[in-house]
Amino acid sequence: MALIECPMCAKKISSKAKSCPHCKADFENLTQGQLEARRDIANIKRQQGLMTQSFIAMLVFCSGVLMYFLGDHETYVWMPLAGQIIGVTGLVWYLSLRIFMVAQKVKSKPRQIG
Ligand SMILES: [Zn+2]
C-alpha cells in the first residue's frame, strides 16, 4: 500500500482508497483522465490562491511604504513606525510566497514530464 496525494486536496491518502478521507472526493467512478483533470483544476486553484495572496501581500507592502513616506507624521506620530512594520511584514510575506511558488513549480515539473 503506497501513499499518494489526493488530486483534490493534495493530502496524503492510500493509493487503494476509493475516496478521500479528508475532502470526501470520490475516485471510484472516475477514469485516470478525469482524475488528472481534477488534479490540474486543484493545482490551478492553489496557484490562483497563492497569486491572490501575493497580490494582497504587495498591497500591504505598498500601504506600509505610503504610510512611511506620505503619512501626516505630525498628526500621527505612530505612522512612520507602523509604516515600517506593515511594509516589512508585507515584503517578507510577499517574498516567502514567491519562494514557495517557485519551489512548488520545481516540485511539480517531473510529474508533468512523466
Ligand atoms: Zn482529498
Side-chain angles (χ1 to χ4, degrees), residues 22-43:
H22 305 289
C23 67
K24 312 281 181 253
D26 181 16
F27 310 134
E28 204 165 13
N29 304 313
L30 292 175
T31 64
Q32 189 63 31
Q34 282 172 318
L35 273 178
E36 272 168 23
R38 286 201 172 196
R39 192 176 60 197
D40 287 347
I41 291 166
N43 273 334

Side-chain angles (χ1 to χ4, degrees), residues 47-106:
Q47 291 265 308
Q48 278 175 343
L50 286 169
M51 286 303 288
T52 310
Q53 254 199 76
S54 61
F55 180 68
I56 294 166
M58 196 31 107
L59 279 181
V60 170
F61 170 67
C62 288
S63 54
V65 169
L66 284 178
M67 278 172 89
Y68 185 72
F69 287 109
L70 300 175
D72 183 357
H73 295 166
E74 273 165 31
T75 314
Y76 307 103
V77 284
W78 47 266
M79 220 177 226
L81 180 65
Q84 271 180 338
I85 293 168
I86 293 168
V88 168
T89 305
L91 188 65
V92 169
W93 186 15
Y94 180 78
L95 286 179
S96 48
L97 276 171
R98 297 307 296 194
I99 292 165
F100 180 70
M101 282 163 83
V102 170
Q104 286 251 307
K105 259 184 204 147
V106 170

Side-chain angles (χ1 to χ4, degrees), residues 6 8-11 13 20 22-25 27:
C6 169
M8 297 306 286
C9 66
K11 285 184 177 140
I13 55 166
C20 174
H22 305 289
C23 67
K24 312 281 181 253
F27 310 134

